[in-house]
Amino acid sequence: MTGSSRYVLATRSSGKLRELEPLFANARIEVVTLDRLGIRESEREAEIEAFSTFEENALAKATYFRDITGLPTFADDSGLEVVALGGEPGVRSKRWSGRTDLIGLALDEANNAELLRALAGVTSRGARYVCVAALATSTGVLTRRGEVEGEILDAGRGSGGFGYDPLFFATELGMTFGEASRREKECVSHRGRAFHALLGAMRGG
Ligand code: IMP
């Protein structure tokens, strides 16, 4: 599924863009953002990821923006699954706090506060991040899943990454994703793993 010289990277998340743009640059794949294409955020977009699986949501985003742009399009859907919460917040990670009035850092802080509230007094803190990376082209679609295991701390550490990262202690790194460098996070993260696997599959690997 290679051959195209320009791809769309379809996300509105600045945190995801900060992680994915260098990953694509290293792989020598030219990606353009929705902003650079002048595609403004619409109300319809909020309804795209209404499914109950990361796979369905990632495919819905990739095909939606492929159809608008006419270009092969990468997208992802990701979230945090906490064992003691039965896998919540899962696909609802972004809006888990219920604060529809907030965006960016303020929304991240509200979600983190909600996570700490939900886990107050809970000793079993196991969690995993999940990401499904999707590519939609004119000839078909491709997805790959990445996961990373860890634990939810009872207070944040570090200011790197985004979202739940200061609270997520990654077992393989021995530190939180908030403390990790971008490169360290990419090596073990759900998103790094999903996109490296997707790029490998595109190359026939
Ligand atoms: P999506 O944009 O619908 O895929 O929602 C992703 C949400 O999951 C984010 O807004 C975060 O709340 C959470 N999330 C996913 N990946 C990460 C990550 O790498 N770090 C921190 N939070 C993440």
Side-chain angles (χ1 to χ4, degrees):
M1 279 179 95
T2 50
S4 180
S5 61
R6 204 163 72 128
Y7 294 78
V8 179
L9 178 50
T11 179
R12 300 287 182 190
S13 159
S14 54
K16 289 184 184 179
L17 283 175
R18 272 196 306 275
E19 293 182 9
L20 290 173
E21 283 184 318
L23 186 152
F24 282 109
N26 286 340
R28 300 188 188 287
I29 293 177
E30 187 193 344
V31 288
V32 283
T33 61
L34 298 172
D35 278 356
R36 278 232 319 269
L37 289 171
I39 300 172
R40 288 175 196 270
E41 193 159 359
S42 70
E43 285 183 10
R44 167 82 184 85
E45 269 178 57
E47 296 158 21
I48 304 173
E49 45 186 308
F51 299 96
S52 58
T53 66
F54 294 109
E55 276 79 7
E56 288 171 295
N57 286 333
L59 276 174
K61 290 185 224 181
T63 53
Y64 176 83
F65 287 107
R66 174 202 61 192
D67 293 346
I68 286 182
T69 61
L71 291 169
T73 300
F74 291 103
D76 87 342
D77 196 53
S78 51
L80 180 69
E81 293 183 342
V82 180
V83 180
L85 301 178
E88 291 275 289
V91 291
R92 301 193 302 124
S93 294
K94 185 175 171 187
R95 292 284 163 199
W96 202 45
S97 62
R99 294 294 304 267
T100 49
D101 55 323
L102 301 178
I103 57 168
L105 200 58
L107 179 61
D108 288 347
E109 285 173 1
N111 284 332
N112 286 342
E114 176 59 23
L115 181 59
L116 290 180
R117 193 200 57 73
L119 289 177
V122 177
T123 49
S124 154
R125 316 282 291 198
R128 78 178 62 83
Y129 271 130
V130 177
C131 174
V132 172
L135 170 65
T137 70
S138 59
T139 57
V141 295
L142 198 57
T143 61
R144 286 294 183 274
R145 173 180 274 246
E147 298 185 0
V148 57
E149 301 287 333
E151 283 178 24
I152 304 302
L153 301 182
D154 50 22
R157 284 194 214 159
S159 56
F162 67 100
Y164 299 96
D165 282 348
L167 292 175
F168 184 83
F169 182 89
T171 312
E172 284 167 83
L173 288 182
M175 64 176 104
T176 71
F177 274 173
E179 295 171 306
S181 68
R182 186 196 59 73
R183 185 77 189 115
E184 284 169 329
K185 183 179 173 187
E186 181 187 318
C187 287
V188 303
S189 82
H190 52 315
R191 187 165 300 100
R193 286 177 168 153
F195 276 92
H196 283 299
L198 187 70
L199 298 187
M202 281 168 67
R203 296 184 174 116

